[in-house]
Amino acid sequence: GLMMVMPFMPKVAESKWGMPLEYIGVAIGVLDGSYAAAKFFSSIVAGDLSDRVGRKPIVMSGLVTNILGFFFLALASSYPAGLASIFGMAVLNGNLGLVKAAMADITVP
């Protein structure tokens, strides 16, 4: 989900957040890196939770978290607020492994 809006983030950082041009590359790299790191750790937790309560509730809560994360990203008026919304979205959404596992369960080899 985030990779769909990532190409537009440099323009957002410049025009909405008022970031100087020389810092935009590093700032967007930090956004992307924090998303990947948080997603890595949250997928471990989401996998464990899905074993306890099932995949559907975890996938649905992840989708709701994505919606809220993008909403707060749209409202972010500064770089720290944008970073917090992206990091929070990744921490609370570890769906990628769950969706792949669900697809493997229903696909005939």
Side-chain angles (χ1 to χ4, degrees):
L2 184 66
M3 294 306 131
M4 292 184 338
V5 297
M6 196 53 83
F8 305 105
M9 293 308 290
K11 190 66 175 168
V12 170
E14 179 187 5
S15 63
K16 189 173 181 185
W17 297 339
M19 187 171 289
L21 287 174
E22 59 267 10
Y23 299 120
I24 288 179
V26 172
I28 300 304
V30 169
L31 283 176
D32 199 18
S34 68
Y35 180 79
K39 196 80 156 166
F40 173 75
F41 291 110
S42 69
S43 64
I44 297 168
V45 174
D48 185 44
L49 274 174
S50 73
D51 289 341
R52 292 183 198 172
V53 297
R55 285 191 192 123
K56 258 188 204 176
I58 304 302
V59 170
M60 293 306 292
S61 68
L63 291 174
V64 169
T65 315
N66 253 0
I67 292 168
L68 292 174
F70 281 121
F71 178 73
F72 288 124
L73 180 61
L75 295 178
S77 59
S78 66
Y79 177 74
L83 180 64
S85 67
I86 287 175
F87 186 77
M89 182 172 32
V91 163
L92 298 173
N93 181 7
N95 280 353
L96 187 59
L98 299 178
V99 172
K100 286 181 179 181
M103 292 305 295
D105 288 345
I106 64 172
T107 305
V108 179

